[in-house]
Amino acid sequence: EPEVTQTPSHQVTQMGQEVILRCVPISNHLYFYWYRQILGQKVEFLVSFYNNEISEKSEIFDDQFSVERPDGSNFTLKIRSTKLEDSAMYFCACSTRTGANVLTFGAGSRLTVL
Amino acid sequence: GQQLNQSPQSMFIQEGEDVSMNCTSSSIFNTWLWYKQDPGEGPVLLIALYKAGELTSNGRLTAQFGITRKDSFLNISASIPSDVGIYFCAGQATTDSWGKLQFGAGTQVVVTP
């Protein structure tokens, strides 16, 4: 069964450092997303991406965050200068054109900011 | 702001019992989804609902899209140990863009033999 692959599975970083989380979505999916889940809290929408541009972003997705699809297969989330409160599980997700609301999630990347 | 309330927060049940959980929203949704999340994993889709009143089954799981479009429930019949996990409802409000889902806080299910 096609799956969404995320790397790294866990990253520990110092506050202020840049972090890039990587995702390989399902090959024929056209919509891409990042969600995050702070420990013990709800899964929250960060950003949606379609046709090489951001479709929508949440209030969480401030200037410290950026997304990119650099090579047609990878989809990355960059946090320029991490803060303690960025510690969370970050999930990449994707969907097809016809089933745009049915998201397939990756296993997540756990980010720990010290 | 929009709120999505899921209950119960947790359930401790014996193997073979049925489980029921529900979500209510302050907004009208055009899609309801039910996901299961195992520890250290991402949410895995169980059932997707697209129409008010729709009742859909997936094995021992049954979910319904409420006729008011503001609620949904999930039932698990004859629970087994592998049903253990956290179950999330998620939905897309009519005012939100494609793929922007709101998630419930989750229902943790524990099944004892």
Side-chain angles (χ1 to χ4, degrees):
Chain A
E1 187 171 325
E3 60 180 26
V4 178
T5 305
Q6 288 188 243
T7 55
S9 56
H10 189 192
Q11 180 155 358
V12 181
T13 190
Q14 295 290 325
M15 192 169 55
Q17 294 296 304
E18 177 183 283
V19 160
I20 297 176
L21 305 178
R22 292 183 168 80
C23 171
V24 179
I26 297 171
S27 61
N28 64 337
H29 285 205
L30 300 176
Y31 296 81
F32 313 109
Y33 313 90
W34 285 99
Y35 282 75
R36 80 171 185 189
Q37 186 179 31
I38 294 172
L39 188 64
Q41 297 188 22
K42 293 184 180 184
V43 176
E44 304 173 286
F45 170 83
L46 291 179
V47 66
S48 57
F49 190 88
Y50 171 69
N51 203 24
N52 281 321
E53 59 184 25
I54 290 175
S55 303
E56 185 167 353
K57 56 186 180 181
S58 71
E59 291 176 356
I60 303 166
F61 195 90
D62 61 20
D63 291 345
Q64 293 301 310
F65 290 85
S66 63
V67 289
E68 198 177 32
R69 190 159 159 80
D71 56 11
S73 62
N74 291 286
F75 180 51
T76 62
L77 174 69
K78 182 194 290 187
I79 309 175
R80 288 188 184 82
S81 179
T82 50
K83 303 186 286 286
L84 295 176
E85 54 265 37
D86 293 330
S87 295
M89 195 75 154
Y90 288 81
F91 293 107
C92 173
C94 59
S95 63
T96 64
R97 185 173 182 83
T98 54
N101 278 338
V102 177
L103 274 58
T104 301
F105 285 84
S109 292
R110 179 169 297 286
L111 176 65
T112 302
V113 182
L114 303 177
Chain B
Q2 298 170 348
Q3 287 195 339
L4 202 160
N5 297 308
Q6 183 171 352
S7 64
Q9 188 174 17
S10 60
M11 301 189 73
F12 292 81
I13 58 172
Q14 284 200 314
E15 186 175 355
E17 289 184 340
D18 296 347
V19 174
S20 185
M21 61 195 79
N22 69 83
C23 277
T24 58
S25 169
S26 58
S27 305
I28 292 174
F29 278 19
N30 56 31
T31 304
W32 279 101
L33 306 167
W34 285 92
Y35 286 88
K36 184 187 179 199
Q37 186 179 27
D38 291 327
E41 300 291 329
V44 175
L45 182 68
L46 299 173
I47 293 179
L49 302 159
Y50 301 103
K51 208 164 63 170
E54 180 180 352
L55 184 72
T56 297
S57 292
N58 178 8
R60 293 178 295 104
L61 278 60
T62 302
Q64 185 161 31
F65 193 137
I67 57 172
T68 65
R69 299 173 68 190
K70 291 186 175 183
D71 63 306
S72 177
F73 72 74
L74 174 71
N75 286 342
I76 307 172
S77 63
S79 58
I80 59 178
S82 62
D83 290 334
V84 164
I86 302 178
Y87 292 79
F88 290 98
C89 63
Q92 187 205 310
T94 54
T95 52
D96 285 335
S97 60
W98 290 113
K100 183 181 179 183
L101 302 179
Q102 296 177 45
F103 277 78
T107 296
Q108 178 151 23
V109 173
V110 177
V111 181
T112 55

